[in-house]
Amino acid sequence: MHILITGGAGFIGSHVVRRFVNSYPEYRITNLDKLTYAGNLENLRDIESRNNYRFIRGDITDGDAMLELFRKERFDGVIHLAAESHVDRSIANPTEFVMTNVVGTVNLLNAARAIWKDAYEGKLFYHVSTDEVYGSLEGGGGMFTETTPYDPHSPYSASKASSDHFVRSWRDTYGLPVVISNCSNNYGAFQFPEKLIPLFINNIRNEEPLPVYGKGENVRDWLWVVDHARAIDVIYHGGTQGETYNIGGHNEWRNIDLVRLLCSIMDRKLGRPAGESEKLIAYVTDRAGHDLRYAIDSTKLQGELGWVPSIRFEEGLEITVDWYLMNQEWLDGVTSGEYKNYYRRMYGG
Ligand code: NAD
Ligand code: DAU
């Protein structure tokens, strides 16, 4: 079994690569990644010399290169995570999101179909997507199920929704064996510190402002990244072809409540007086088109495949804070250079 994992040097991808390399020594795992600002081979140091693992630097927007790679390597399966993933960047530069998330996904679908040549037995194209395609749960109630109509609002979520449609169209038109999962917000080690939790951990550590968008009342449903990687494994091996699975932690938090919890954990770990880090909270202009609430109903995944989250959020957040505090070199490395320039352009300073 030779599996291509795209975007394996990113946050979630590195956890998926690690899980597959460790759990399936009999598989060959190829990680294809362009190494954008978000991709970092440091995330995979612990498994990079394993016999069943190989890294290839490549760009999924290059259709010819993808076709050539698939023809040469004859992958049996694809787990596709490579994407531009940050909503704020999609607002600043939407075209890049169309290129990577839409065109890149179509290139991979074309390449998979070309080498599998309609002889699909034992093959699988697994597309990793997001709950943001379903839009925003306004008015308090309800949860996203697999049949919730798509209603994306940001260029990021529109590009992911589009890629999901293309994957399903390859299933319906060409019979390609596909599976899609839509997951809620992930947190954990190796997340690039532009996303809420690692950004705020880093800013608290450096005693810098914590830019809470709007009133901080937006709600997200947080899942430990290790549990997401396990869900992807469970669905890859046990899911039904052609189906969609929602993945979520049943763990909704208003941003401001999460930020306050994070501040209190950080105060304790850094030996600062209780309440000290909360003084860093700065309410700033809201994100354009900011979705109010996401909440995932993962009954289908839990019922059919027996997956459940392994850890309570408070515990997962403690582990995550510990990881960032113990890996300050990693944080410093990814917050220098290009990222700092981008951050200045976005937020000033
Ligand atoms: P990330 O930004 O941390 O990593 C993305 C990876 O893709 C990086 O390693 C980057 O170098 C690579 N990449 C980008 N453009 C590429 C290209 N053109 N060719 C090859 N590689 C390229 O993202 P993440 O948070 O790990 O998300 C991974 C996937 O999971 C994405 O598809 C995202 O939409 C989805 N997702 C993320 C979350 C979340 O909370 N982070 C939740 C649900 C779904
Ligand atoms: O729901 C899944 C999605 O979760 C993934 O598909 C995306 O790839 C991932 O980036 C994430 O999107 P969000 O926009 O929800 O995550 P982010 O960490 O950017 O923001 C979380 C919430 O915190 C959101 O309501 C915006 C808010 N926020 C974020 C940042 C970076 C702030 O208030 N201040 C900030 O500085």
Side-chain angles (χ1 to χ4, degrees):
M1 173 80 83
H2 188 183
I3 300 179
L4 172 71
I5 299 180
T6 71
F11 167 47
I12 301 170
S14 62
H15 289 273
V16 175
V17 166
R18 177 173 298 100
R19 182 172 180 95
F20 274 71
V21 165
N22 284 333
S23 305
Y24 304 103
E26 71 278 21
Y27 291 1
R28 287 166 64 203
I29 303 298
T30 295
N31 169 16
L32 174 95
D33 199 295
K34 182 180 173 184
L35 300 182
T36 67
Y37 78 95
N40 187 349
L41 291 177
E42 288 297 321
N43 301 358
L44 292 162
R45 282 283 172 252
D46 55 324
I47 55 103
E48 68 182 1
S49 56
R50 303 289 276 276
N51 290 336
N52 61 340
Y53 170 74
R54 190 175 46 142
F55 172 71
I56 297 176
R57 188 165 192 186
D59 184 345
I60 61 169
T61 67
D62 184 341
D64 291 341
M66 290 306 103
L67 203 53
E68 199 182 312
L69 178 74
F70 275 65
R71 288 215 164 104
K72 185 162 159 246
E73 300 295 339
R74 317 299 305 179
F75 303 114
D76 301 296
V78 177
I79 304 178
H80 173 37
L81 297 107
E84 287 294 334
S85 69
H86 190 43
V87 173
D88 294 327
R89 285 182 188 250
S90 83
I91 295 166
N93 185 6
T95 308
E96 208 174 338
F97 284 67
V98 177
M99 292 312 297
T100 296
N101 299 358
V102 185
V103 177
T105 299
V106 170
N107 286 339
L108 295 172
L109 289 166
N110 273 331
R113 179 169 168 247
I115 60 152
W116 294 341
K117 288 204 172 67
D118 302 328
Y120 292 138
E121 187 65 32
K123 308 292 191 278
L124 184 64
F125 189 103
Y126 184 142
H127 179 59
V128 176
S129 192
T130 170
D131 61 357
E132 299 202 12
V133 300
Y134 298 123
S136 179
L137 294 160
E138 306 285 329
M143 299 180 102
F144 299 132
T145 71
E146 287 80 1
T147 56
T148 300
Y150 276 29
D151 182 25
H153 298 128
S154 72
Y156 164 69
S157 55
S159 69
K160 291 297 290 188
S162 174
S163 66
D164 292 8
H165 290 317
F166 275 105
V167 172
R168 291 197 181 96
S169 78
W170 254 248
R171 173 198 66 191
D172 296 341
T173 308
Y174 307 112
L176 195 81
V178 306
V179 73
I180 299 178
S181 58
N182 297 83
C183 187
S184 62
N185 285 62
N186 285 215
Y187 70 95
F190 300 115
Q191 187 169 32
F192 194 84
E194 63 187 349
K195 309 280 166 64
L196 182 73
I197 290 179
L199 174 69
F200 280 29
I201 290 174
N202 199 32
N203 286 11
I204 294 171
R205 173 175 77 109
N206 296 325
E207 297 181 80
E208 288 174 6
L210 307 176
V212 172
Y213 297 162
K215 295 180 181 159
E217 286 172 352
N218 303 68
V219 173
R220 296 292 183 265
D221 177 357
W222 293 93
L223 179 70
W224 194 33
V225 63
V226 173
D227 282 335
H228 186 188
R230 184 166 47 84
I232 289 173
D233 181 353
V234 163
I235 294 167
Y236 186 89
H237 289 100
T240 305
Q241 277 183 20
E243 290 290 317
T244 295
Y245 294 88
N246 277 358
I247 309 171
H250 242 286
N251 177 46
E252 291 179 52
W253 285 78
R254 283 197 319 158
N255 290 341
I256 190 62
D257 298 332
L258 188 163
V259 169
R260 290 201 177 111
L261 174 63
L262 195 54
C263 286
S264 74
I265 293 174
M266 290 288 287
D267 281 343
R268 183 161 36 81
K269 305 250 177 219
L270 295 173
R272 294 180 185 165
E276 187 69 12
S277 297
E278 276 198 28
K279 293 179 192 157
L280 298 169
I281 293 174
Y283 293 94
V284 299
T285 309
D286 208 353
R287 173 186 278 174
H290 197 173
D291 288 334
L292 181 63
R293 174 174 167 252
Y294 304 146
I296 276 281
D297 179 348
S298 56
T299 305
K300 177 175 171 179
L301 173 61
Q302 301 202 13
E304 281 184 20
L305 298 173
W307 173 92
V308 281
S310 70
I311 201 168
R312 283 180 55 249
F313 182 61
E314 288 82 348
E315 196 185 336
L317 199 58
E318 290 256 354
I319 294 172
T320 300
V321 168
D322 285 340
W323 187 86
Y324 285 98
L325 292 180
M326 282 185 317
N327 289 276
Q328 300 197 2
E329 266 179 34
W330 184 92
L331 261 179
D332 291 338
V334 298
T335 50
S336 62
E338 193 270 340
Y339 173 72
K340 276 219 156 125
N341 292 334
Y342 157 80
Y343 193 76
R344 276 193 206 105
R345 276 200 308 278
M346 292 283 290
Y347 305 108

